[in-house]
Amino acid sequence: MSETHSMMRARRIDYICDRCSEGCMVGTDVANLTTLPLQYIHRCNICGWTAVFAKIYPHVEYVQETAQ
C-alpha cells in the first residue's frame, strides 16, 4: 500500500476552572482506577480546586487543514 500525507494543525485544549473562572485545570497524574472509563484528577493552577475528568487536560487535538 502506498503512503499519503495531509497537513494537520495542532490545537491545545484547556479546561477553565469552574470555581474561579481564571485558572486552568491541570492533570495530577493520578487516576481513579475504579471507574470505566478512567477518571483523572485535576487541580486548578490558580485556586487549587480539584475536579475529575475522563480526559487529561491540557491535551492536543489535531485538525486536518482544508485546501483553499
Short mmCIF file of all heavy atoms in Angstrom, two decimals:
data_model
loop_
_atom_site.label_atom_id
_atom_site.label_comp_id
_atom_site.label_asym_id
_atom_site.label_seq_id
_atom_site.Cartn_x
_atom_site.Cartn_y
_atom_site.Cartn_z
N MET A 1 0.85 -1.17 0.00
CA MET A 1 0.00 0.00 0.00
C MET A 1 0.90 1.24 0.00
O MET A 1 1.94 1.25 0.64
CB MET A 1 -0.89 -0.02 1.24
CG MET A 1 -2.16 0.73 1.04
SD MET A 1 -3.27 0.63 2.45
CE MET A 1 -4.18 -0.84 2.04
N SER A 2 0.51 2.28 -0.68
CA SER A 2 1.33 3.49 -0.76
C SER A 2 0.99 4.47 0.36
O SER A 2 -0.09 4.43 0.94
CB SER A 2 1.14 4.16 -2.12
OG SER A 2 -0.22 4.52 -2.28
N GLU A 3 1.95 5.34 0.62
CA GLU A 3 1.75 6.35 1.65
C GLU A 3 1.04 7.57 1.07
O GLU A 3 1.10 7.82 -0.12
CB GLU A 3 3.09 6.81 2.22
CG GLU A 3 3.79 5.75 3.02
CD GLU A 3 5.08 6.26 3.62
OE1 GLU A 3 5.47 7.41 3.33
OE2 GLU A 3 5.69 5.50 4.38
N THR A 4 0.37 8.29 1.94
CA THR A 4 -0.25 9.55 1.58
C THR A 4 0.00 10.53 2.71
O THR A 4 0.40 10.13 3.80
CB THR A 4 -1.77 9.38 1.33
OG1 THR A 4 -2.30 10.62 0.88
CG2 THR A 4 -2.49 8.90 2.56
N HIS A 5 -0.20 11.79 2.45
CA HIS A 5 0.02 12.76 3.51
C HIS A 5 -1.00 13.89 3.40
O HIS A 5 -1.59 14.12 2.36
CB HIS A 5 1.45 13.33 3.45
CG HIS A 5 1.70 14.17 2.25
ND1 HIS A 5 2.06 13.65 1.04
CD2 HIS A 5 1.64 15.51 2.07
CE1 HIS A 5 2.20 14.63 0.16
NE2 HIS A 5 1.96 15.77 0.76
N SER A 6 -1.19 14.57 4.50
CA SER A 6 -2.06 15.73 4.54
C SER A 6 -1.56 16.66 5.64
O SER A 6 -0.90 16.23 6.59
CB SER A 6 -3.51 15.33 4.79
OG SER A 6 -3.63 14.64 6.00
N MET A 7 -1.87 17.91 5.53
CA MET A 7 -1.46 18.90 6.52
C MET A 7 -2.41 18.86 7.72
O MET A 7 -3.62 18.79 7.55
CB MET A 7 -1.46 20.31 5.90
CG MET A 7 -0.49 20.47 4.76
SD MET A 7 1.22 20.18 5.23
CE MET A 7 1.50 21.56 6.31
N MET A 8 -1.82 18.88 8.91
CA MET A 8 -2.58 18.88 10.14
C MET A 8 -2.17 20.09 10.96
O MET A 8 -1.04 20.56 10.88
CB MET A 8 -2.31 17.61 10.96
CG MET A 8 -2.65 16.32 10.23
SD MET A 8 -4.38 16.08 9.95
CE MET A 8 -4.93 15.60 11.55
N ARG A 9 -3.09 20.57 11.75
CA ARG A 9 -2.84 21.70 12.63
C ARG A 9 -3.11 21.23 14.06
O ARG A 9 -4.12 20.59 14.33
CB ARG A 9 -3.78 22.85 12.26
CG ARG A 9 -3.42 24.17 12.82
CD ARG A 9 -4.21 25.30 12.16
NE ARG A 9 -5.51 24.91 11.66
CZ ARG A 9 -6.68 25.18 12.25
NH1 ARG A 9 -6.69 25.82 13.39
NH2 ARG A 9 -7.80 24.81 11.71
N ALA A 10 -2.18 21.52 14.96
CA ALA A 10 -2.36 21.15 16.36
C ALA A 10 -3.14 22.24 17.08
O ALA A 10 -2.93 23.43 16.85
CB ALA A 10 -1.01 20.94 17.02
N ARG A 11 -4.04 21.80 17.97
CA ARG A 11 -4.84 22.74 18.76
C ARG A 11 -4.79 22.29 20.22
O ARG A 11 -5.09 21.14 20.53
CB ARG A 11 -6.28 22.73 18.24
CG ARG A 11 -7.21 23.60 19.00
CD ARG A 11 -8.55 23.77 18.37
NE ARG A 11 -9.11 22.53 17.86
CZ ARG A 11 -10.20 22.47 17.10
NH1 ARG A 11 -10.81 23.58 16.75
NH2 ARG A 11 -10.67 21.33 16.68
N ARG A 12 -4.37 23.20 21.10
CA ARG A 12 -4.31 22.89 22.53
C ARG A 12 -5.69 23.09 23.14
O ARG A 12 -6.32 24.12 22.94
CB ARG A 12 -3.29 23.80 23.21
CG ARG A 12 -3.20 23.57 24.71
CD ARG A 12 -2.26 24.57 25.33
NE ARG A 12 -2.39 24.56 26.77
CZ ARG A 12 -1.38 24.44 27.60
NH1 ARG A 12 -0.15 24.35 27.13
NH2 ARG A 12 -1.58 24.42 28.90
N ILE A 13 -6.14 22.12 23.93
CA ILE A 13 -7.43 22.18 24.60
C ILE A 13 -7.18 22.32 26.10
O ILE A 13 -6.57 21.46 26.72
CB ILE A 13 -8.27 20.91 24.33
CG1 ILE A 13 -8.34 20.58 22.85
CG2 ILE A 13 -9.64 21.04 24.97
CD1 ILE A 13 -9.05 21.59 22.01
N ASP A 14 -7.64 23.43 26.68
CA ASP A 14 -7.56 23.66 28.12
C ASP A 14 -8.97 23.61 28.69
O ASP A 14 -9.95 23.81 27.99
CB ASP A 14 -6.96 25.04 28.41
CG ASP A 14 -5.47 25.10 28.14
OD1 ASP A 14 -4.74 24.29 28.74
OD2 ASP A 14 -5.05 25.95 27.34
N TYR A 15 -9.06 23.37 30.00
CA TYR A 15 -10.34 23.40 30.70
C TYR A 15 -10.25 24.49 31.76
O TYR A 15 -9.43 24.41 32.67
CB TYR A 15 -10.64 22.05 31.35
CG TYR A 15 -12.07 21.93 31.84
CD1 TYR A 15 -13.01 21.27 31.07
CD2 TYR A 15 -12.46 22.47 33.05
CE1 TYR A 15 -14.32 21.17 31.50
CE2 TYR A 15 -13.76 22.37 33.49
CZ TYR A 15 -14.69 21.72 32.71
OH TYR A 15 -15.98 21.62 33.15
N ILE A 16 -11.08 25.52 31.63
CA ILE A 16 -11.09 26.63 32.57
C ILE A 16 -11.78 26.19 33.86
O ILE A 16 -12.82 25.53 33.83
CB ILE A 16 -11.82 27.86 31.97
CG1 ILE A 16 -11.18 28.29 30.65
CG2 ILE A 16 -11.85 29.03 32.96
CD1 ILE A 16 -9.73 28.69 30.75
N CYS A 17 -11.20 26.57 34.97
CA CYS A 17 -11.71 26.19 36.29
C CYS A 17 -13.16 26.67 36.47
O CYS A 17 -13.47 27.84 36.24
CB CYS A 17 -10.82 26.78 37.38
SG CYS A 17 -11.38 26.44 39.06
N ASP A 18 -14.03 25.76 36.89
CA ASP A 18 -15.44 26.09 37.13
C ASP A 18 -15.62 26.91 38.41
O ASP A 18 -16.64 27.58 38.58
CB ASP A 18 -16.28 24.82 37.23
CG ASP A 18 -16.43 24.11 35.90
OD1 ASP A 18 -16.44 24.79 34.86
OD2 ASP A 18 -16.52 22.87 35.91
N ARG A 19 -14.64 26.86 39.29
CA ARG A 19 -14.77 27.57 40.57
C ARG A 19 -14.32 29.03 40.48
O ARG A 19 -15.06 29.94 40.84
CB ARG A 19 -13.96 26.86 41.64
CG ARG A 19 -14.08 27.48 43.00
CD ARG A 19 -13.35 26.65 44.01
NE ARG A 19 -13.40 27.26 45.33
CZ ARG A 19 -12.48 27.08 46.24
NH1 ARG A 19 -11.45 26.30 45.99
NH2 ARG A 19 -12.59 27.66 47.41
N CYS A 20 -13.09 29.27 39.98
CA CYS A 20 -12.58 30.64 39.96
C CYS A 20 -12.67 31.30 38.58
O CYS A 20 -12.53 32.52 38.48
CB CYS A 20 -11.12 30.67 40.43
SG CYS A 20 -9.91 29.99 39.28
N SER A 21 -12.90 30.54 37.54
CA SER A 21 -13.02 31.02 36.16
C SER A 21 -11.77 31.74 35.66
O SER A 21 -11.84 32.47 34.68
CB SER A 21 -14.24 31.95 36.01
OG SER A 21 -15.41 31.26 36.34
N GLU A 22 -10.66 31.57 36.33
CA GLU A 22 -9.41 32.20 35.91
C GLU A 22 -8.32 31.20 35.58
O GLU A 22 -7.58 31.39 34.63
CB GLU A 22 -8.91 33.15 37.02
CG GLU A 22 -9.81 34.33 37.25
CD GLU A 22 -9.28 35.23 38.35
OE1 GLU A 22 -8.07 35.19 38.64
OE2 GLU A 22 -10.08 35.98 38.90
N GLY A 23 -8.21 30.17 36.38
CA GLY A 23 -7.15 29.18 36.20
C GLY A 23 -7.54 28.10 35.21
O GLY A 23 -8.68 28.01 34.77
N CYS A 24 -6.55 27.28 34.88
CA CYS A 24 -6.76 26.12 34.01
C CYS A 24 -6.58 24.85 34.83
O CYS A 24 -5.72 24.78 35.71
CB CYS A 24 -5.77 26.13 32.86
SG CYS A 24 -6.06 27.45 31.69
N MET A 25 -7.38 23.86 34.52
CA MET A 25 -7.27 22.58 35.20
C MET A 25 -6.10 21.80 34.60
O MET A 25 -5.93 21.74 33.39
CB MET A 25 -8.56 21.77 35.04
CG MET A 25 -9.80 22.49 35.58
SD MET A 25 -9.67 23.00 37.30
CE MET A 25 -9.81 21.43 38.13
N VAL A 26 -5.28 21.24 35.49
CA VAL A 26 -4.08 20.51 35.07
C VAL A 26 -4.13 19.12 35.69
O VAL A 26 -4.37 18.98 36.89
CB VAL A 26 -2.81 21.26 35.53
CG1 VAL A 26 -1.56 20.50 35.13
CG2 VAL A 26 -2.79 22.68 34.97
N GLY A 27 -3.90 18.10 34.87
CA GLY A 27 -3.90 16.73 35.36
C GLY A 27 -2.83 16.51 36.41
O GLY A 27 -1.72 17.05 36.31
N THR A 28 -3.14 15.70 37.43
CA THR A 28 -2.21 15.46 38.55
C THR A 28 -1.48 14.13 38.42
O THR A 28 -0.79 13.73 39.33
CB THR A 28 -2.96 15.48 39.88
OG1 THR A 28 -3.91 14.41 39.89
CG2 THR A 28 -3.63 16.81 40.14
N ASP A 29 -1.65 13.43 37.31
CA ASP A 29 -1.04 12.11 37.10
C ASP A 29 -1.62 11.05 38.03
O ASP A 29 -1.03 10.01 38.25
CB ASP A 29 0.48 12.14 37.24
CG ASP A 29 1.14 13.01 36.20
OD1 ASP A 29 0.60 13.10 35.07
OD2 ASP A 29 2.20 13.59 36.48
N VAL A 30 -2.80 11.33 38.61
CA VAL A 30 -3.47 10.37 39.47
C VAL A 30 -4.80 10.00 38.81
O VAL A 30 -5.57 10.88 38.42
CB VAL A 30 -3.73 10.96 40.88
CG1 VAL A 30 -4.51 9.98 41.73
CG2 VAL A 30 -2.42 11.34 41.54
N ALA A 31 -5.05 8.70 38.66
CA ALA A 31 -6.29 8.24 38.05
C ALA A 31 -7.10 7.46 39.06
O ALA A 31 -6.55 6.78 39.93
CB ALA A 31 -5.99 7.34 36.85
N ASN A 32 -8.43 7.58 38.95
CA ASN A 32 -9.33 6.77 39.76
C ASN A 32 -9.50 5.45 39.01
O ASN A 32 -10.22 5.38 38.01
CB ASN A 32 -10.67 7.48 39.93
CG ASN A 32 -11.62 6.71 40.79
OD1 ASN A 32 -11.37 5.55 41.10
ND2 ASN A 32 -12.71 7.33 41.17
N LEU A 33 -8.83 4.41 39.46
CA LEU A 33 -8.81 3.14 38.75
C LEU A 33 -10.07 2.31 38.94
O LEU A 33 -10.18 1.24 38.37
CB LEU A 33 -7.59 2.33 39.20
CG LEU A 33 -6.24 3.01 38.94
CD1 LEU A 33 -5.11 2.16 39.51
CD2 LEU A 33 -6.03 3.27 37.47
N THR A 34 -11.04 2.80 39.71
CA THR A 34 -12.26 2.03 39.96
C THR A 34 -13.38 2.40 39.01
O THR A 34 -14.49 1.91 39.15
CB THR A 34 -12.73 2.23 41.40
OG1 THR A 34 -13.04 3.61 41.60
CG2 THR A 34 -11.67 1.79 42.40
N THR A 35 -13.12 3.28 38.04
CA THR A 35 -14.17 3.70 37.11
C THR A 35 -13.81 3.29 35.69
O THR A 35 -12.65 3.18 35.32
CB THR A 35 -14.36 5.23 37.15
OG1 THR A 35 -13.16 5.87 36.74
CG2 THR A 35 -14.75 5.71 38.53
N LEU A 36 -14.83 3.07 34.90
CA LEU A 36 -14.66 2.84 33.46
C LEU A 36 -15.57 3.79 32.74
O LEU A 36 -16.78 3.74 32.94
CB LEU A 36 -15.00 1.39 33.08
CG LEU A 36 -13.96 0.36 33.44
CD1 LEU A 36 -14.48 -1.03 33.13
CD2 LEU A 36 -12.67 0.61 32.72
N PRO A 37 -15.11 4.69 31.92
CA PRO A 37 -13.70 4.88 31.62
C PRO A 37 -12.97 5.48 32.81
O PRO A 37 -13.58 6.00 33.75
CB PRO A 37 -13.71 5.87 30.46
CG PRO A 37 -14.97 6.65 30.64
CD PRO A 37 -15.95 5.67 31.24
N LEU A 38 -11.64 5.43 32.76
CA LEU A 38 -10.84 6.01 33.84
C LEU A 38 -11.17 7.48 34.01
O LEU A 38 -11.47 8.18 33.05
CB LEU A 38 -9.35 5.87 33.52
CG LEU A 38 -8.77 4.46 33.56
CD1 LEU A 38 -7.31 4.49 33.14
CD2 LEU A 38 -8.92 3.86 34.93
N GLN A 39 -11.12 7.93 35.24
CA GLN A 39 -11.33 9.34 35.56
C GLN A 39 -10.02 9.88 36.12
O GLN A 39 -9.40 9.23 36.96
CB GLN A 39 -12.45 9.49 36.59
CG GLN A 39 -13.79 8.95 36.12
CD GLN A 39 -14.43 9.84 35.08
OE1 GLN A 39 -14.58 11.03 35.28
NE2 GLN A 39 -14.80 9.27 33.96
N TYR A 40 -9.61 11.06 35.67
CA TYR A 40 -8.33 11.64 36.06
C TYR A 40 -8.54 12.86 36.94
O TYR A 40 -9.34 13.73 36.63
CB TYR A 40 -7.52 12.02 34.82
CG TYR A 40 -7.25 10.83 33.94
CD1 TYR A 40 -8.07 10.55 32.86
CD2 TYR A 40 -6.18 9.98 34.21
CE1 TYR A 40 -7.84 9.44 32.06
CE2 TYR A 40 -5.94 8.87 33.41
CZ TYR A 40 -6.78 8.61 32.33
OH TYR A 40 -6.54 7.52 31.54
N ILE A 41 -7.79 12.92 38.03
CA ILE A 41 -7.90 14.02 38.98
C ILE A 41 -7.11 15.21 38.46
O ILE A 41 -5.97 15.06 38.02
CB ILE A 41 -7.41 13.58 40.37
CG1 ILE A 41 -8.27 12.42 40.88
CG2 ILE A 41 -7.43 14.76 41.35
CD1 ILE A 41 -7.76 11.78 42.14
N HIS A 42 -7.73 16.38 38.50
CA HIS A 42 -7.12 17.62 38.04
C HIS A 42 -7.16 18.66 39.16
O HIS A 42 -8.03 18.61 40.03
CB HIS A 42 -7.88 18.18 36.84
CG HIS A 42 -7.74 17.37 35.60
ND1 HIS A 42 -8.27 16.11 35.48
CD2 HIS A 42 -7.11 17.64 34.44
CE1 HIS A 42 -7.98 15.64 34.27
NE2 HIS A 42 -7.28 16.55 33.63
N ARG A 43 -6.23 19.60 39.09
CA ARG A 43 -6.18 20.68 40.07
C ARG A 43 -6.03 22.00 39.33
O ARG A 43 -5.28 22.11 38.36
CB ARG A 43 -5.00 20.48 41.02
CG ARG A 43 -4.91 21.51 42.12
CD ARG A 43 -3.77 21.22 43.10
NE ARG A 43 -3.71 19.84 43.55
CZ ARG A 43 -4.48 19.31 44.50
NH1 ARG A 43 -5.39 20.04 45.09
NH2 ARG A 43 -4.34 18.05 44.86
N CYS A 44 -6.75 23.03 39.78
CA CYS A 44 -6.67 24.36 39.18
C CYS A 44 -5.31 24.97 39.53
O CYS A 44 -4.86 24.92 40.67
CB CYS A 44 -7.79 25.27 39.71
SG CYS A 44 -7.66 26.97 39.12
N ASN A 45 -4.66 25.55 38.52
CA ASN A 45 -3.33 26.13 38.75
C ASN A 45 -3.40 27.50 39.44
O ASN A 45 -2.36 28.06 39.77
CB ASN A 45 -2.54 26.22 37.44
CG ASN A 45 -3.18 27.15 36.42
OD1 ASN A 45 -4.29 27.63 36.59
ND2 ASN A 45 -2.47 27.39 35.34
N ILE A 46 -4.60 28.03 39.69
CA ILE A 46 -4.74 29.30 40.40
C ILE A 46 -5.31 29.10 41.81
O ILE A 46 -4.68 29.47 42.80
CB ILE A 46 -5.66 30.29 39.62
CG1 ILE A 46 -5.09 30.59 38.24
CG2 ILE A 46 -5.90 31.57 40.42
CD1 ILE A 46 -3.83 31.42 38.23
N CYS A 47 -6.48 28.49 41.92
CA CYS A 47 -7.14 28.39 43.23
C CYS A 47 -6.96 27.04 43.91
O CYS A 47 -7.28 26.89 45.09
CB CYS A 47 -8.63 28.72 43.10
SG CYS A 47 -9.62 27.46 42.27
N GLY A 48 -6.46 26.03 43.20
CA GLY A 48 -6.21 24.73 43.82
C GLY A 48 -7.41 23.80 43.89
O GLY A 48 -7.31 22.69 44.41
N TRP A 49 -8.57 24.22 43.37
CA TRP A 49 -9.76 23.38 43.38
C TRP A 49 -9.50 22.11 42.58
O TRP A 49 -8.79 22.12 41.58
CB TRP A 49 -10.92 24.17 42.76
CG TRP A 49 -12.24 23.47 42.80
CD1 TRP A 49 -12.97 23.16 43.91
CD2 TRP A 49 -13.01 23.02 41.69
NE1 TRP A 49 -14.14 22.55 43.54
CE2 TRP A 49 -14.19 22.44 42.17
CE3 TRP A 49 -12.80 23.05 40.31
CZ2 TRP A 49 -15.16 21.90 41.36
CZ3 TRP A 49 -13.77 22.51 39.49
CH2 TRP A 49 -14.93 21.94 40.02
N THR A 50 -10.05 20.99 43.00
CA THR A 50 -9.87 19.74 42.28
C THR A 50 -11.17 19.28 41.64
O THR A 50 -12.26 19.56 42.14
CB THR A 50 -9.35 18.62 43.21
OG1 THR A 50 -10.27 18.42 44.27
CG2 THR A 50 -7.98 18.96 43.77
N ALA A 51 -11.01 18.59 40.51
CA ALA A 51 -12.15 18.04 39.78
C ALA A 51 -11.67 16.78 39.06
O ALA A 51 -10.47 16.55 38.93
CB ALA A 51 -12.69 19.05 38.78
N VAL A 52 -12.62 16.00 38.60
CA VAL A 52 -12.31 14.74 37.93
C VAL A 52 -12.88 14.76 36.52
O VAL A 52 -14.04 15.15 36.33
CB VAL A 52 -12.89 13.55 38.74
CG1 VAL A 52 -12.63 12.24 38.05
CG2 VAL A 52 -12.32 13.54 40.15
N PHE A 53 -12.07 14.35 35.53
CA PHE A 53 -12.50 14.34 34.13
C PHE A 53 -12.06 13.03 33.48
O PHE A 53 -11.11 12.40 33.91
CB PHE A 53 -11.86 15.50 33.36
CG PHE A 53 -12.18 16.85 33.91
CD1 PHE A 53 -11.22 17.57 34.59
CD2 PHE A 53 -13.44 17.40 33.76
CE1 PHE A 53 -11.50 18.82 35.11
CE2 PHE A 53 -13.73 18.65 34.27
CZ PHE A 53 -12.76 19.36 34.95
N ALA A 54 -12.74 12.67 32.40
CA ALA A 54 -12.39 11.46 31.64
C ALA A 54 -11.21 11.71 30.71
O ALA A 54 -10.61 10.77 30.23
CB ALA A 54 -13.59 10.97 30.84
N LYS A 55 -10.87 12.97 30.47
CA LYS A 55 -9.71 13.33 29.65
C LYS A 55 -8.66 13.98 30.54
O LYS A 55 -8.99 14.51 31.60
CB LYS A 55 -10.09 14.35 28.57
CG LYS A 55 -11.06 13.87 27.56
CD LYS A 55 -11.33 15.00 26.58
CE LYS A 55 -12.34 14.60 25.53
NZ LYS A 55 -12.66 15.72 24.64
N ILE A 56 -7.42 13.95 30.09
CA ILE A 56 -6.36 14.65 30.80
C ILE A 56 -6.16 16.01 30.14
O ILE A 56 -5.94 16.09 28.93
CB ILE A 56 -5.05 13.84 30.78
CG1 ILE A 56 -5.24 12.50 31.49
CG2 ILE A 56 -3.93 14.65 31.45
CD1 ILE A 56 -4.04 11.60 31.41
N TYR A 57 -6.28 17.06 30.93
CA TYR A 57 -6.08 18.43 30.43
C TYR A 57 -4.75 18.95 30.92
O TYR A 57 -4.34 18.61 32.03
CB TYR A 57 -7.21 19.35 30.91
CG TYR A 57 -8.53 19.05 30.27
CD1 TYR A 57 -9.46 18.23 30.90
CD2 TYR A 57 -8.84 19.56 29.03
CE1 TYR A 57 -10.67 17.94 30.31
CE2 TYR A 57 -10.06 19.28 28.42
CZ TYR A 57 -10.96 18.47 29.07
OH TYR A 57 -12.16 18.18 28.47
N PRO A 58 -4.08 19.81 30.15
CA PRO A 58 -4.42 20.15 28.77
C PRO A 58 -4.08 18.98 27.85
O PRO A 58 -3.27 18.12 28.19
CB PRO A 58 -3.53 21.36 28.48
CG PRO A 58 -2.35 21.18 29.36
CD PRO A 58 -2.87 20.49 30.60
N HIS A 59 -4.73 18.95 26.69
CA HIS A 59 -4.39 17.93 25.70
C HIS A 59 -4.38 18.56 24.31
O HIS A 59 -4.81 19.68 24.13
CB HIS A 59 -5.30 16.70 25.78
CG HIS A 59 -6.71 16.93 25.40
ND1 HIS A 59 -7.66 17.32 26.30
CD2 HIS A 59 -7.36 16.83 24.22
CE1 HIS A 59 -8.83 17.44 25.68
NE2 HIS A 59 -8.67 17.16 24.42
N VAL A 60 -3.84 17.81 23.37
CA VAL A 60 -3.69 18.31 22.00
C VAL A 60 -4.65 17.57 21.09
O VAL A 60 -4.80 16.35 21.18
CB VAL A 60 -2.24 18.11 21.50
CG1 VAL A 60 -2.10 18.55 20.05
CG2 VAL A 60 -1.28 18.88 22.37
N GLU A 61 -5.31 18.31 20.24
CA GLU A 61 -6.23 17.76 19.24
C GLU A 61 -5.68 18.16 17.87
O GLU A 61 -5.20 19.28 17.69
CB GLU A 61 -7.60 18.40 19.46
CG GLU A 61 -8.74 17.71 18.83
CD GLU A 61 -10.04 18.37 19.25
OE1 GLU A 61 -10.40 19.40 18.64
OE2 GLU A 61 -10.69 17.87 20.18
N TYR A 62 -5.70 17.24 16.93
CA TYR A 62 -5.20 17.53 15.59
C TYR A 62 -6.37 17.72 14.64
O TYR A 62 -7.29 16.92 14.63
CB TYR A 62 -4.28 16.41 15.10
CG TYR A 62 -3.03 16.33 15.93
CD1 TYR A 62 -2.92 15.45 16.99
CD2 TYR A 62 -1.96 17.19 15.66
CE1 TYR A 62 -1.78 15.39 17.76
CE2 TYR A 62 -0.81 17.15 16.43
CZ TYR A 62 -0.74 16.25 17.47
OH TYR A 62 0.40 16.20 18.25
N VAL A 63 -6.31 18.78 13.84
CA VAL A 63 -7.37 19.14 12.91
C VAL A 63 -6.77 19.16 11.51
O VAL A 63 -5.73 19.80 11.28
CB VAL A 63 -7.96 20.53 13.25
CG1 VAL A 63 -9.05 20.89 12.29
CG2 VAL A 63 -8.46 20.55 14.69
N GLN A 64 -7.41 18.47 10.58
CA GLN A 64 -6.91 18.45 9.22
C GLN A 64 -7.21 19.78 8.55
O GLN A 64 -8.32 20.31 8.63
CB GLN A 64 -7.54 17.32 8.41
CG GLN A 64 -6.94 17.18 7.04
CD GLN A 64 -7.38 15.91 6.36
OE1 GLN A 64 -8.04 15.07 6.95
NE2 GLN A 64 -6.99 15.75 5.12
N GLU A 65 -6.19 20.36 7.93
CA GLU A 65 -6.36 21.62 7.23
C GLU A 65 -7.07 21.36 5.91
O GLU A 65 -6.82 20.36 5.24
CB GLU A 65 -5.02 22.30 6.99
CG GLU A 65 -4.38 22.77 8.27
CD GLU A 65 -3.10 23.55 8.02
OE1 GLU A 65 -2.63 23.60 6.87
OE2 GLU A 65 -2.58 24.10 9.00
N THR A 66 -7.95 22.27 5.53
CA THR A 66 -8.67 22.13 4.27
C THR A 66 -7.96 22.89 3.18
O THR A 66 -7.32 23.92 3.44
CB THR A 66 -10.11 22.66 4.41
OG1 THR A 66 -10.06 24.02 4.85
CG2 THR A 66 -10.90 21.84 5.41
N ALA A 67 -8.04 22.42 1.97
CA ALA A 67 -7.42 23.08 0.82
C ALA A 67 -8.15 24.39 0.53
O ALA A 67 -9.37 24.46 0.64
CB ALA A 67 -7.45 22.17 -0.40
N GLN A 68 -7.39 25.40 0.15
CA GLN A 68 -8.00 26.71 -0.14
C GLN A 68 -7.88 27.04 -1.59
O GLN A 68 -7.06 26.73 -2.30
CB GLN A 68 -7.34 27.79 0.69
CG GLN A 68 -7.58 27.56 2.15
CD GLN A 68 -6.91 28.65 3.00
OE1 GLN A 68 -6.42 29.65 2.50
NE2 GLN A 68 -6.91 28.44 4.29
#
